[in-house]
Amino acid sequence: RHDADAGITAPRGGLRLMRIMTDAGGEYLCTGTIAAGAFGAFRIAVSTAGKFKGIKVLRSDDAPFKADPKTRPVRRHAIERETRLADELAQRGHALAASESFEIDGKVYHVLPLFAQDLHQLGMHGFRDIDQHRRVVRSVARSLARALALLHRDRSEVDGHVHCDLKPGNALYDRDGTVVLCDFGRTCHPVDIPRSVTVGTRAYMPPEIVRRQPRSFPVDLWSLGIVLCELHVQI
């Protein structure tokens, strides 16, 4: 049967699968949504060449911070910004670069490399011994700190961006030890972070966001500290 999206077909069976046909003639067989955020969803896909991929689906019909009309950016601009920042960090090995992007009925699809797990799953699976545990925590700390340094642009109010939603689910860990930052949907310049809404995930929010006070680059450093603490004690 056909999904509401053009070019997507879901066959019978327990696991809902969808066939996505791209404008360029490509084809992916996808699972249904396995993870969802405020602005999109993530699916696992298999290409016609038999390679596993991740597909991020972004809605283009709404806007970040929509609770505050005064700071509401155009959703299309937000998608373009997210794509640009991810590509810039991917060139330095700190984010995922889309191998293909296309749009179907107002939804933007990014085809991405498929990583083994996020940091939450990594902590849940445990480690062989204390030495491996320490090596992984150090590697994650080093990789995410470098990614944030690049994103912050030396804390430039003009060129720098704040991620605004750093958490275990937004940092991916591959089997070879590679760590990348993902989900730049809430990322913005410090001056554009609205005070009237609590941006991010509550467990990783710093006090200034909870209290709706001025916030800037240290927002991400607080979140990074919580992420590393959880990974260290394996919460």
Side-chain angles (χ1 to χ4, degrees):
R1 63 186 178 83
H2 289 278
D3 195 275
D5 291 334
I8 299 179
T9 304
R12 295 178 299 175
L15 178 63
R16 185 171 182 267
L17 299 177
M18 292 176 287
R19 180 168 284 106
I20 299 179
M21 309 293 293
T22 72
D23 294 336
E27 182 178 332
Y28 295 92
L29 185 63
C30 306
T31 65
T33 298
I34 62 170
F39 311 118
F42 187 82
R43 297 168 178 164
I44 295 177
V46 181
S47 68
T48 51
K51 294 183 178 180
F52 283 92
K53 298 287 185 178
I55 291 189
K56 184 171 185 179
V57 187
L58 299 171
R59 299 189 299 272
S60 59
D61 55 354
D62 59 357
F65 317 133
K66 59 185 177 182
D68 190 346
K70 294 181 179 179
T71 59
R72 182 187 300 167
V74 178
R75 181 62 182 137
R76 173 68 59 182
H77 173 71
I79 291 177
E80 292 173 351
R81 180 189 58 209
E82 176 176 0
T83 303
R84 175 175 53 80
L85 289 173
D87 287 344
E88 289 177 4
L89 265 68
Q91 292 176 11
R92 303 284 290 273
H94 297 308
L96 299 180
S99 59
E100 183 180 5
S101 297
F102 50 91
E103 184 172 349
I104 300 175
D105 284 357
K107 294 182 180 180
V108 177
Y109 294 76
H110 292 313
V111 181
L112 303 165
L114 189 62
F115 266 48
Q117 57 196 336
D118 60 33
L119 293 189
H120 176 71
Q121 295 165 326
L122 176 65
M124 292 287 289
H125 293 162
F127 304 91
R128 290 193 306 269
D129 51 51
I130 188 65
D131 288 337
Q132 186 205 29
H133 187 184
R134 289 173 177 170
R135 285 196 303 272
V136 169
V137 173
R138 285 196 296 265
S139 174
V140 169
R142 185 166 51 249
S143 297
L144 292 183
R146 288 173 177 170
L148 290 179
L150 184 60
L151 188 65
H152 293 173
R153 302 288 202 283
D154 296 323
R155 299 194 174 192
S156 167
E157 295 288 341
V158 177
D159 300 322
H161 290 78
V162 183
H163 188 278
C164 291
D165 197 21
L166 180 56
K167 57 185 178 181
N170 284 340
L172 305 179
Y173 185 90
D174 211 1
R175 294 182 179 89
D176 63 0
T178 302
V179 182
V180 296
L181 194 58
C182 65
D183 197 348
F184 298 90
R186 296 184 185 273
T187 303
C188 60
H189 294 297
V191 295
D192 294 331
I193 306 177
R195 297 189 193 180
S196 59
V197 295
T198 52
V199 180
T201 302
R202 180 164 292 274
Y204 303 91
M205 289 179 185
E208 59 264 34
I209 284 189
V210 176
R211 297 169 183 168
R212 299 187 178 182
Q213 296 173 341
R215 66 287 302 265
S216 188
F217 300 107
V219 165
D220 288 340
L221 302 183
W222 173 282
S223 301
L224 175 61
I226 302 245
V227 168
L228 295 177
C229 181
E230 289 185 347
L231 186 60
H232 179 69
V233 300
Q234 293 183 259
I235 295 178

